[in-house]
Amino acid sequence: MTGTARPVAVLFDRDGTLIHDVPYNADPDLVRPMPYAAEALRLLHAEGIATGVVSNQSGIGRGLLTADQVRRVNARVDALLGPFGTWEVCPHRPAAGCTCRKPEPGLVLRAAHRLGVRPRDCAVIGDIGADLLAARAAGAHGVIVPTLATRWDEYADEPDAAPDILTAVQSLLSIGPDQEQAGGGPS
């Protein structure tokens, strides 16, 4: 992976990244973590790295979900994988023209602000191109973890792609000064 500094915070997309994507999920009992998600979050917490979630939830704007249902699903994710320092959700429909819906930078900027860090000190891990675009628009580092739902053109030439969430986190943590101390650089 490319990058110049170890992140101070890592922000995650929810559906397809942290948990299996169940479209417009209103049922906390359907929450299933993605492979290696628990290990990735344990590693970040052990390293003292702040974490947050940035998630488009257009089902609210479409009238398919309530904000309370999304909060209950998020609470289940938090119980299984957290704690997360912030949850930033865009409830708008895609055509609403808001500045928070990924690929716009609003969710990433809000999450960084709430965590008390600069966006450029954040990494965003997601499963689709909109996650990368939101990260870049906010000045953060984006990493894509493709799934079967990810279009090939969203990651074919992407230098910051990882086969799973744990590999993505391990790569992010090996960036920067710690890499040289571990024998990777000149002494």
Side-chain angles (χ1 to χ4, degrees):
M1 288 192 196
T2 62
T4 57
R6 185 175 171 147
V8 175
V10 178
L11 309 175
F12 295 91
D13 170 59
R14 189 187 85 176
D15 302 317
T17 302
L18 287 175
I19 62 171
H20 287 274
D21 188 7
V22 176
Y24 307 114
N25 183 17
D27 184 354
D29 290 336
L30 297 179
V31 171
R32 300 287 179 265
M34 291 293 284
Y36 311 113
E39 294 88 342
L41 269 297
R42 275 195 294 273
L43 180 58
L44 289 170
H45 291 142
E47 292 290 319
I49 306 290
T51 59
V53 179
V54 290
S55 182
N56 289 345
Q57 293 296 319
S58 70
I60 298 169
R62 296 172 195 262
L64 302 171
L65 298 166
T66 66
D68 186 58
Q69 289 171 318
V70 170
R71 275 192 291 280
R72 287 189 296 121
V73 168
N74 291 349
R76 179 68 178 148
V77 176
D78 207 60
L80 292 171
L81 300 173
F84 293 95
T86 189
W87 281 84
E88 302 303 325
V89 173
C90 173
H92 305 109
R93 298 172 66 126
C98 67
T99 60
C100 56
R101 183 174 176 77
K102 294 178 290 180
E104 296 298 323
L107 292 177
V108 176
L109 294 172
R110 242 181 16 221
H113 177 75
R114 292 218 171 124
L115 292 171
V117 301
R118 298 174 300 190
R120 71 178 185 201
D121 294 330
C122 295
V124 178
I125 299 176
D127 66 321
I128 62 172
D131 299 314
L132 290 178
L133 293 171
R136 290 179 181 144
H141 181 84
V143 180
I144 192 164
V145 177
T147 65
L148 294 176
T150 312
R151 292 190 336 258
W152 173 253
D153 65 319
E154 292 179 317
Y155 69 94
D157 296 322
E158 184 56 47
D160 292 328
D164 58 65
I165 192 172
L166 181 58
T167 302
V169 166
Q170 289 169 332
S171 295
L172 286 170
L173 294 179
S174 70
I175 294 171
D178 294 342
Q179 189 174 21
E180 289 182 17
Q181 293 173 3
S187 45

